[in-house]
Amino acid sequence: MTDAAPDRDDNARHAEKAKKRKAAHDKKLEGMVADKGLLIVHTGTGKGKTSAALGMVFRHIGHGMPVGVVHFTKSEKWDTGEAKLLAQFPDLVTLHIMGEGFTWETQDRERDVAAARAGWERAKELIRDDRHRMVLLDELNIVLRYDYLPISEVIAFLLDEKPADKHVVITGRNANPALIEIADLVTEMTLVKHPFRSGVKAQKGVEF
């Protein structure tokens, strides 16, 4: 019997704290915008940038909302699990694999620039298209880093032509500071450990 009173006191204190937290949370929500198309950037040296972006893509698919995806560096030759899965939802996913591999594989700057330009033109079409609720521009940061596309052109389009209700997600290392500045949500993945440094190659189901 002596233990019952302290337990009731603990529960009462917990309930009071929870009530105050809920009231504070509800007050914050009162002045918030219900819906807004976000510009989202995933960058950093750590693994998980594309994986996290695809998580949002799959959430859209789960809610029956169409999405567009442009891969800027991945090639049609790459046997990626995400491409196989996305292909199973042709009514909800518009997928364009526009790359030819990493720049050290092509070793041809003109080809890389041409591929980046083609990918960007396709990306603009998807962003302008009212059908797509979200557009993922995978590894766009990479082509911007190598100056395959002018950052000023990309920034101007996102500011002037991205529909107000359209989510655009951009991934890749070394995001340009100008892009970070205009983004609504920026996440930097930090590398702590990676098996590649221990001699382990990229593995199916983990990296691709």
Side-chain angles (χ1 to χ4, degrees), residues 8-205:
R8 285 196 295 270
D9 290 343
D10 288 343
N11 286 336
R13 284 193 294 268
H14 175 79
E16 183 62 26
K17 288 180 180 179
K19 183 179 178 180
K20 290 180 179 179
R21 285 197 298 269
K22 183 179 185 309
H25 180 70
D26 290 345
K27 188 173 182 179
K28 288 180 182 179
L29 291 178
E30 287 177 2
M32 289 188 173
V33 177
D35 293 296
K36 177 184 184 296
L38 302 176
L39 177 58
I40 302 169
V41 176
H42 292 172
T43 191
T45 58
K47 173 178 163 44
K49 296 176 285 293
T50 296
S51 299
L54 286 168
M56 288 186 284
V57 166
F58 292 134
R59 285 174 182 161
H60 273 68
I61 294 172
H63 288 295
M65 297 186 291
V67 295
V69 179
V70 179
H71 289 302
F72 278 87
T73 59
K74 292 182 175 70
S75 165
E76 288 279 7
K77 298 177 182 178
W78 292 16
D79 184 29
T80 65
E82 60 262 33
K84 289 182 176 180
L85 186 56
L86 291 171
Q88 296 182 33
F89 302 93
D91 295 336
L92 291 172
V93 179
T94 304
L95 174 63
H96 297 290
I97 302 176
M98 306 296 294
E100 296 191 66
F102 293 112
T103 184
W104 58 80
E105 293 174 342
T106 62
Q107 300 180 19
D108 186 332
R109 180 177 174 81
E110 288 187 3
R111 274 179 59 186
D112 290 337
V113 170
R117 171 56 60 183
W120 176 237
E121 294 304 318
R122 193 60 55 84
K124 290 192 291 184
E125 293 174 4
L126 294 178
I127 293 171
R128 290 181 178 126
D129 187 347
D130 291 339
R131 179 173 176 269
H132 301 97
R133 175 65 170 146
M134 170 179 278
V135 177
L136 167 58
L137 308 181
D138 186 43
E139 303 288 9
L140 176 60
N141 286 335
I142 302 298
V143 301
L144 292 174
R145 178 191 179 192
Y146 288 110
D147 296 321
Y148 295 162
L149 292 170
I151 183 62
S152 58
E153 177 184 342
V154 173
I155 295 294
F157 177 85
L158 293 172
L159 288 176
D160 298 338
E161 296 196 48
K162 183 183 82 67
D165 61 348
K166 181 73 57 78
H167 300 308
V168 175
V169 188
I170 298 172
T171 70
R173 294 186 179 200
N174 303 110
N176 190 285
L179 182 61
I180 291 175
E181 178 66 26
I182 68 168
D184 298 289
L185 172 60
V186 180
T187 300
E188 183 170 2
M189 311 296 186
T190 302
L191 175 64
V192 178
K193 294 180 72 175
H194 198 292
F196 187 81
R197 292 184 171 181
S198 301
V200 181
K201 291 182 178 181
Q203 300 181 75
K204 184 180 293 186

